Amino acid sequence: MSLQAKIMEQMKAAMKSKDAVALESLRAIKSEIMLAMTKGVDIKFSEADEIKLLQKLVKQRKDSAALYNEQGREDLAEPELAQAKIIAQFLPEQMSIEELKQFISSLITKVGASSMKDMGKVMGMASKELAGKADGKTISTIVKELLS
């Protein structure tokens, strides 16, 4: 089942249960998908594209929530985090920090990286192989930690 079909199904359920937060989140996903499809020449929307889009939406929500928390506006941060949680359920399961460290350390050994000069090589391979399983900021932090 495609992401669009899953979203439509969930939207119907959210409408029936009158879940405003879920409905708003799902409409945001649908809107981004439609926008991405109209921008692209190719109508095919791959699974990798869907994952990138969902990660972007989750990151936007978390960044907004962090900003609201910094400004002492927990009332605005809560709905953002709730939306991020709803959107994240359509993403593949994320790897734990320990699993990421193990994977990245084996990747560093495989590439032969020894210093921060090799960070670009490691990040390139890690980003490709961990697409959808971890966000780039977490990957970058772990790579820096292991290379320093």
Side-chain angles (χ1 to χ4, degrees):
M1 183 184 294
S2 74
L3 179 63
Q4 266 188 306
K6 289 178 190 174
I7 298 298
M8 289 306 292
E9 202 173 281
Q10 292 286 328
M11 279 178 69
K12 288 176 188 172
M15 284 182 207
K16 287 179 183 175
S17 66
K18 297 185 184 339
D19 186 351
V21 175
L23 189 57
E24 187 178 345
S25 304
L26 296 167
R27 283 183 174 155
I29 297 171
K30 183 180 175 193
S31 171
E32 282 293 320
I33 290 172
M34 298 299 278
L35 186 64
M37 288 179 128
T38 57
K39 282 183 180 176
V41 178
D42 190 13
I43 296 179
K44 300 279 186 199
F45 203 63
S46 71
E47 190 175 332
D49 293 333
E50 291 172 350
I51 290 171
K52 285 180 186 175
L53 183 126
L54 292 171
Q55 284 180 321
K56 176 183 138 189
L57 291 173
V58 169
K59 184 179 182 322
Q60 285 175 344
R61 301 302 185 283
K62 287 182 178 180
D63 289 347
S64 295
L67 259 172
Y68 291 140
N69 281 328
E70 284 175 15
Q71 297 170 353
R73 298 293 310 264
E74 283 76 29
D75 59 318
L76 296 174
E78 266 183 51
E80 293 290 333
L81 291 173
Q83 284 187 19
K85 188 175 179 183
I86 290 168
I87 295 168
Q89 41 182 14
F90 295 100
L91 284 169
E93 191 166 330
Q94 302 292 296
M95 292 176 77
S96 70
I97 299 295
E98 293 79 30
E99 291 172 324
L100 280 172
K101 283 184 180 180
Q102 288 176 346
F103 180 83
I104 292 172
S105 64
S106 68
L107 193 64
I108 288 172
T109 307
K110 182 177 162 184
V111 172
S114 58
S115 67
M116 287 299 288
K117 292 178 184 176
D118 302 318
M119 184 173 174
K121 289 183 206 173
V122 177
M123 280 300 296
M125 289 185 71
S127 295
K128 278 183 191 172
E129 294 188 32
L130 296 172
K133 297 177 186 172
D135 71 303
K137 188 175 184 179
T138 307
I139 295 170
S140 173
T141 305
I142 294 173
V143 169
K144 284 178 187 173
E145 178 185 313
L146 293 175
L147 285 177
S148 60

